[in-house]
Amino acid sequence: MDKRFTTKENPIILGIESSCDETAASVVCGRKILSDEIVSSADIQSLYGGVVPEIASRAHTDAIAKVVERAVKNAGIDYSQIDAIAVTYGAGLLGALLVGVSFAKAFAYALNKPLIAVNHIRGHLAAAYLQDETLKPPFITLLASGGHTAILHTKTESEFEILGATTDDAVGEAFDKVARVLGLKYPGGPNIERLAKEGKNTVPMPQMFKGNGGYNFSYSGLKTAVINYCHTKEQKGETYEKADVASSFQSTALDVLVKKTVAAAKERKVSTVTAGGGVVANGYLRTALTNACEKEGLKLVLPEKRYCTDNAAMIASEGLVQYKLGNFADFDLTAKASIPLSATLKTVQNKA
C-alpha cells in the first residue's frame, strides 16, 4: 500500500484514454459515471484505410485539454474534488499514448493528486463494473478486441487466470483484415456487421481446431479462407455476394467465442459471465452470448456498446481497482506500445 496518499471508499477518479484514435476523458465516482467525453479521429483515419499514428498523435494533442475540461465541467465538480488521475500507459500507439500520459502526469502534479497507470486491456475487463455496480468476482470473462482474444477466470478484481487465448490473430484483427478484402472502409468490425445483416451463411468456412484446442482460438486460417475464396472467385471472373461472405465469416468467428465462454463457465462452476473489448460491441455476438447464457442459466453482464469500444470510463473503473490497492505511479511513468497478455493480468505492486 502506497503511504503517500490517503484513500477514500468512493473516490472521484478522472480517467484519460489516448491509446489509438479516440481522445477520451471521464469522471467516475466509485462505480458511477459522472461524465464521459470522447473525440475521435476515426473519420480522418478512414481516408487512409486505417489508423495513421502521426495523425492520431496530432489529433490527441489538439483535443486532450478540451476533452478533460469538458469531462470535469459536465461531471459538475471542481478540479480540487478529483481524488486521482488514471491514464492509459499501454498498450497502443506509442505517440498517442505519450500525449495522454504526459498530460496526466502534469495534471496530477499540478493538483498534487495520485497518478494511476492503467493497462488498456485491464480497462476493458473493468468496464463490466460500470454496468453492474453490484458485480463481484468470481466470473468468467470473454476478452475480444483488436489485439487480444481470450477467456479468463476472473477470481478477484486483480487476479485473473488465462484459460485460453488466440494462437495467432485476434478476432478484431481478423475482422479488420477481412473488411479490407471485401472493400469495406475502416473501422472494419462495424462495417462487416452492417453488411452481414444483408447476407446468408452460405459460404463454407473452416472451424478452428474442430473441437480440440481447449479454450484457445485461431483466426489466421479463417482469415486466409476468406481471402482465398474472394481471390479465387475474382480470378475466375465469377461473381459472389460480399454480404454472404461477411455473414458467414461473422458467425464462424463469433459463435466459437460464445461456445467456449459458456463451456468455461460450466467447467469452472461459475454462475456469472462478463465480456469486454471492442468486438463485444458487435450486435450478433451480444445476442448470441445473451441467448446462450439464458439457456444455461448464467448471469451475463455486458457493458453498453459505447463502453466496449475505447473510452475513458473503463480506464477510471480500472483506476478504482488500482486505487484501492494503493498502486500509484511515479512521475517517471512512460508509455509502452506493447504489453503481453500475461503481464497485463499481473497486479504490479508499487515500490513505495
Side-chain angles (χ1 to χ4, degrees):
M1 178 68 69
D2 195 312
K3 305 298 184 181
R4 292 174 293 173
F5 301 98
T6 300
T7 59
K8 299 180 180 179
E9 180 63 27
N10 290 303
I12 294 177
I13 297 179
L14 169 67
I16 296 174
E17 155 65 18
S18 67
S19 64
C20 193
D21 56 355
E22 280 88 17
T23 311
S26 176
V27 177
V28 173
C29 180
R31 290 183 174 182
K32 182 179 180 181
I33 301 172
L34 302 183
S35 67
D36 181 38
E37 302 294 330
I38 298 178
V39 173
S40 177
S41 62
D43 289 344
I44 299 175
Q45 308 291 352
S46 66
L47 299 175
Y48 302 93
V51 179
V52 179
E54 292 81 1
I55 293 177
S57 298
R58 293 192 194 103
H60 287 308
T61 302
D62 291 340
I64 191 164
K66 298 175 184 177
V67 170
V68 169
E69 181 181 11
R70 198 160 68 223
V72 174
K73 179 180 179 180
N74 290 343
I77 64 170
D78 297 323
Y79 290 118
S80 62
Q81 293 176 270
I82 296 173
D83 295 305
I85 292 88
V87 62
T88 305
Y89 78 97
L93 302 175
L94 188 59
L97 289 165
L98 284 170
V99 174
V101 170
S102 299
F103 187 93
K105 288 197 294 186
F107 207 68
Y109 181 83
L111 295 178
N112 191 31
K113 301 293 183 178
L115 176 69
I116 302 172
V118 174
N119 185 298
H120 184 78
I121 294 302
R122 289 283 287 262
H124 278 303
L125 300 179
Y129 293 120
L130 300 173
Q131 185 66 28
D132 182 351
E133 294 186 21
T134 67
L135 177 65
K136 293 181 180 179
F139 44 79
I140 295 298
T141 300
L142 169 63
L143 170 61
S145 71
H148 295 286
T149 304
I151 294 177
L152 314 169
H153 184 189
T154 302
K155 297 182 176 181
T156 69
E157 288 183 341
S158 60
E159 183 183 4
F160 307 83
E161 179 186 358
I162 303 173
L163 302 181
T166 182
T167 59
D168 39 62
D169 290 354
V171 61
E173 182 182 5
F175 265 80
D176 284 338
K177 291 178 178 178
V178 168
R180 284 196 289 271
V181 173
L182 296 177
L184 302 177
K185 291 184 178 181
Y186 173 86
N191 288 319
I192 283 185
E193 181 183 357
R194 279 190 286 269
L195 182 61
K197 292 177 181 178
E198 304 172 8
K200 300 178 181 179
N201 296 342
T202 57
V203 181
M205 294 286 167
Q207 303 296 315
M208 63 182 72
F209 297 126
K210 295 182 178 179
N212 298 318
Y215 297 116
N216 288 330
F217 304 93
S218 173
Y219 284 99
S220 63
L222 179 58
K223 171 200 66 182
T224 301
V226 173
I227 294 173
N228 290 341
Y229 176 85
C230 295
H231 286 180
T232 298
K233 288 289 187 179
E234 291 166 359
Q235 289 170 357
K236 292 182 177 180
E238 299 176 355
T239 60
Y240 63 93
E241 292 295 332
K242 290 185 178 181
D244 291 344
V245 176
S247 178
S248 301
F249 164 76
Q250 177 177 256
S251 61
T252 302
L254 300 182
D255 284 348
V256 68
L257 294 177
V258 174
K259 179 181 178 181
K260 294 196 175 189
T261 300
V262 171
K266 293 172 64 179
E267 188 266 329
R268 289 302 173 104
K269 295 181 172 58
V270 175
S271 61
T272 301
V273 171
T274 71
V279 179
V280 180
N282 179 282
Y284 178 94
L285 176 59
R286 296 173 74 87
T287 298
L289 191 56
T290 298
N291 292 340
C293 286
E294 286 181 354
K295 181 179 179 181
E296 297 297 335
L298 299 170
K299 176 183 178 181
L300 175 63
V301 179
L302 277 180
E304 292 181 27
K305 287 187 177 183
R306 68 175 294 172
Y307 298 122
C308 295
T309 54
D310 292 352
N311 65 90
M314 70 180 192
I315 302 304
S317 181
E318 175 59 20
L320 176 62
V321 173
Q322 299 305 321
Y323 178 92
K324 290 181 177 180
L325 292 171
N327 283 340
F328 303 138
D330 295 322
F331 288 111
D332 60 358
L333 175 69
T334 190
K336 291 187 177 182
S338 178
I339 304 175
L341 183 60
S342 58
T344 294
L345 302 181
K346 292 180 181 178
T347 299
V348 181
Q349 298 294 336
N350 63 74
K351 296 177 289 184

